[in-house]
Amino acid sequence: MTERTALPEANAAEDKPDSAVVRDALGVGVAVGLSGFAFGVTSAGSGLTLAQTCALSLLVFTGASQFALVGALAAGGNPLTAAAGAFFLGVRNAFYGLRLSQLLALPRAVRPFAAQWVIDETTAVALAQPTRRAVRIGFTVTGLTLYLLWNATTLLGALGAEAIGDTDAWGLDAAGPAVFLALLAPMLTTATERAVAALAVLLGLGLLPVLPAGVPVLVAALAAPLVLWARGRRAEAAHEGGEGHEAAPTGEERR
């Protein structure tokens, strides 16, 4: 990723109109925020109360982790295992925060509140902006729109769960993961990233029939270190092979 810490404040040649930033941010916020309805229905169908469902959206506010948690609980998983899987999915937001803290350069008093909105969507919109002003507008509009809409639709989904009936029959339990994958896929730009994603999918799906609910997600997290280890071994072998080839005397040298 190209370093963009020193963003111009305004009036740059590539400056983006505020209205365009707001339009893009609203598009992302509304589109993703509506999937909170699916989470509300799924969570209520998994046995969580209305208060528990709404608290997850208010306090956790990271869709992939929320769906992972209620999905593991619905499958009969241990609550601690389910929470651990959700936690590891949410760790990525800490790395987003490290990058966004440089781009947003917010006052210290505001940072704890802004941290609640550091998720996939706000990060994607913020990183797409050319100036610090546009970054701040994109992050704020996306975060505010998504937070309000996600929580409102979570409440509506939880209240309407009884009327909908079996959530599995409607396929609503797959809405959240589908949105997450749609956001993630364009970010897999290198062979290493694609290899990590492929191995994680194989580990997660392959272990579903043999491990308790929630555990396959934890095991899938091993994909990244395994791929990086294999890549390091290949690089080391290639380096040693190159040195051996250079050390071998040519025919001219032997004569």
Side-chain angles (χ1 to χ4, degrees):
M1 185 181 293
T2 305
E3 276 294 326
R4 298 171 52 205
T5 303
L7 287 173
E9 289 292 344
N11 299 321
E14 71 277 16
D15 202 9
K16 189 175 182 180
D18 292 351
S19 58
V21 180
V22 171
R23 182 182 64 246
D24 294 345
L26 285 174
V28 172
V30 171
V32 179
L34 292 175
S35 61
F37 182 84
F39 170 73
V41 173
T42 304
S43 179
S46 301
L48 273 70
T49 66
L50 176 64
Q52 290 170 332
T53 297
C54 292
L56 278 174
S57 284
L58 284 168
L59 303 177
V60 178
F61 188 54
T62 172
S65 296
Q66 292 178 230
F67 274 102
L69 177 63
V70 298
L73 292 176
N78 182 285
L80 292 178
T81 303
F87 171 80
F88 280 111
L89 279 175
V91 164
R92 71 190 186 281
N93 294 338
F95 295 98
Y96 294 161
L98 292 175
R99 183 63 182 136
L100 288 178
S101 65
Q102 301 174 21
L103 298 179
L104 293 168
L106 295 173
R108 191 175 298 272
V110 178
R111 292 175 191 174
F113 302 98
Q116 177 70 353
W117 291 352
V118 176
I119 54 176
D120 300 298
E121 295 80 10
T122 55
T123 302
V125 172
L127 291 177
Q129 308 310 321
T131 65
R132 176 160 288 120
R133 175 182 172 83
V135 168
R136 288 176 172 174
I137 293 174
F139 176 85
T140 303
V141 174
T142 305
L144 180 61
T145 304
L146 185 49
Y147 189 75
L148 294 177
L149 193 55
W150 178 269
N151 281 281
T153 54
T154 292
L155 175 61
L156 291 176
L159 290 173
E162 290 186 6
I164 291 177
D166 184 9
T167 57
D168 291 340
W170 289 80
L172 292 175
D173 55 328
V179 171
F180 178 71
L181 290 176
L183 290 167
L184 177 64
M187 301 172 68
L188 304 177
T189 56
T190 68
T192 300
E193 292 169 348
R194 287 190 288 269
V196 169
L199 181 58
V201 170
L202 289 175
L203 288 174
L205 294 180
L207 295 174
L208 275 177
V210 297
L211 292 179
V215 176
V217 174
L218 301 179
V219 178
L222 297 174
L226 287 174
V227 170
L228 293 176
W229 175 82
R231 180 184 177 188
R233 293 289 294 175
R234 285 198 302 269
E236 183 180 342
H239 180 68
E240 291 176 352
E243 287 182 344
H245 178 73
E246 291 174 1
T250 62
E252 289 294 330
E253 291 173 334
R254 285 194 294 268
R255 288 196 295 272

